[in-house]
Amino acid sequence: MSTQTLSPGQQAAGTTTYRECVREAIREALARDDRVFLMGEDVGHYGGCYAVTKGLLAEFGPDRIRDTPLSESTFTGAGIGAALNGMRPIVEIMTVNFSLLAMDQIVNGAATLLHMSGGQFNVPLVIRMATGAGRQLAAQHSHSLEGWYAHIPGLRILAPATLADARGMLWPALEDPDPVLIFEHVMLYNATGPTPDADAVQAVDITHAAQRREGTDVTLVTYGGMLGRTLEAAEALAKDGISADVIDLRVLRPLDEDTVLSAVRRTRRAVVVDEGWRSGSLAAEISARIMDQAFWDLDAPVARVCSAEVPMPYAKHMEQAALPSVEAIVEAARGTLGKGAS
């Protein structure tokens, strides 16, 4: 059996990256609907901070691929206005921390206009942004704030963790009459895997969680950049004779609680893995819903694995220590089974 050595940046035939899946999704949307356009900082001539939009300016021109000033509030507001006037804008905010500069536009504008207008004005806007830590971008650019936005009625919050979801979620998001925020984890852009086939892409929806691994002993609930580590933890648990079920939330608002509760009732134990901080986290909300609706089905308290409650360190070893680890997930799962430290 021969093996092929790939040079840096080269990938095997039939494979692709998360980055290329996102780019292809944008390209398809632009080609499919003349109302779709992309706007954001450095999305045109530079090709995007994470090279997601590289080549799109040459293909579609400056009317469809629009470089904006460094003013998130301004261009997010322009996107809302364009959506109100019949366009289908894709607004790219470079990193999630910069979205705080557009918080008023998103929370007080896009999310509320349908309600405030008595149902007269939809805002079919898609906002994409990079989220998460792991690239040594320190405290200012390493936030996981999806849970903040998942708190807001009027928004749909997506967190694609697989290549198929990265490829398939954008179009249904653009078809949604209301604002959709898509959080792309920075550590996934280079993730490589088989090119999703048409059936896999078309099967992607933006309403349901997905079961990524079947198990009988404990349910691990996660999303986004933590899916890979959670699956690694499930593999490690399997070597110890523990069968772990893995649920990828994918949609953070509205939560598909039926899928989560069904899995928890089957395994009778749950661990929620969330890159956000523990206090007031999305993990806290999921834990509360499990306790509210499946308490009598549980054989152990719900466990949570979250990031350390500190500004993200710059030093690589400290950054990794602050994030949920495979080891921490394994120990939390073992704890629900009364096995203690391994």
Side-chain angles (χ1 to χ4, degrees):
M1 181 177 178
S2 62
T3 58
Q4 180 183 16
T5 301
L6 302 178
S7 60
Q10 185 182 6
Q11 56 195 53
T15 66
T16 189
T17 65
Y18 185 99
R19 171 186 292 105
E20 289 165 345
C21 286
V22 176
R23 182 188 300 128
E24 188 57 32
I26 297 171
R27 176 184 285 113
E28 179 190 73
L30 289 163
R32 194 170 181 176
D33 190 336
D34 289 341
R35 298 174 300 171
V36 175
F37 69 97
L38 174 73
M39 62 193 301
E41 297 161 353
D42 292 330
V43 299
H45 292 283
Y46 188 67
C49 180
Y50 296 98
V52 169
T53 56
K54 188 175 181 180
L56 294 182
L57 176 63
E59 185 173 352
F60 292 99
D63 286 343
R64 308 287 301 284
I65 308 296
R66 298 189 170 220
D67 282 319
T68 65
L70 304 181
S71 179
E72 285 75 12
S73 179
T74 299
F75 65 74
T76 301
I80 294 170
L84 286 167
N85 283 278
M87 302 298 285
R88 293 294 185 271
I90 304 170
V91 172
E92 178 177 311
I93 295 177
M94 190 179 292
T95 58
V96 65
N97 60 286
F98 290 134
S99 74
L100 303 183
L101 299 168
M103 185 73 83
D104 183 54
Q105 297 283 11
I106 297 169
V107 175
N108 284 330
T112 63
L113 281 167
L114 180 65
H115 172 76
M116 296 290 285
S117 67
Q120 296 180 79
F121 300 126
N122 292 96
V123 185
L125 168 71
V126 171
I127 301 176
R128 297 175 39 252
M129 63 186 91
T131 187
R135 294 176 62 94
Q136 288 187 266
L137 297 177
Q140 190 176 22
H141 300 294
S142 301
H143 296 88
S144 295
L145 304 181
E146 306 86 66
W148 288 18
Y149 291 102
H151 178 68
I152 307 299
L155 301 176
R156 181 179 296 273
I157 309 300
L158 307 180
T162 67
L163 270 61
D165 282 358
R167 177 69 179 79
M169 278 187 165
L170 180 63
W171 183 251
L174 285 164
E175 290 188 304
D176 195 303
D178 300 312
V180 179
L181 275 58
I182 303 178
F183 290 85
E184 301 161 5
H185 199 283
V186 293
M187 296 303 291
L188 293 177
Y189 284 126
N190 288 332
T192 303
T195 302
D197 60 32
D199 289 341
V201 170
Q202 291 173 8
V204 172
D205 67 44
I206 58 172
T207 57
H208 294 97
Q211 184 184 44
R212 301 300 186 189
R213 183 185 176 108
E214 293 184 7
T216 57
D217 295 326
V218 60
T219 296
L220 310 179
V221 182
T222 190
Y223 68 91
M226 287 294 106
L227 177 61
R229 294 190 182 193
T230 303
L231 289 169
E232 284 185 51
E235 286 287 342
L237 288 164
K239 295 176 182 177
D240 196 25
I242 298 171
S243 175
D245 198 53
V246 177
I247 301 297
D248 172 11
L249 291 172
R250 303 200 298 178
V251 186
L252 308 185
R253 186 180 184 97
L255 279 171
D256 176 13
E257 61 183 33
D258 289 344
T259 296
V260 174
L261 293 171
S262 175
V264 171
R265 288 178 177 130
R266 185 176 62 254
T267 66
R268 308 184 72 85
R269 299 169 182 86
V271 177
V272 185
V273 184
D274 181 1
E275 192 173 320
W277 293 303
R278 184 182 180 92
S279 298
S281 62
L282 188 63
E285 174 63 27
I286 296 165
S287 300
R289 293 200 191 191
I290 293 171
M291 296 297 284
D292 283 347
Q293 301 179 60
F295 177 80
W296 299 110
D297 298 289
L298 292 172
D299 285 342
V302 178
R304 289 187 284 158
V305 182
C306 301
S307 289
E309 301 210 357
V310 296
M312 190 58 63
Y314 166 74
K316 188 174 183 63
H317 68 289
M318 294 179 68
E319 179 183 42
Q320 290 305 311
L323 291 168
S325 66
V326 172
E327 294 76 16
I329 300 168
V330 168
E331 292 306 320
R334 287 175 58 85
T336 67
L337 287 147
K339 291 184 178 290
S342 59

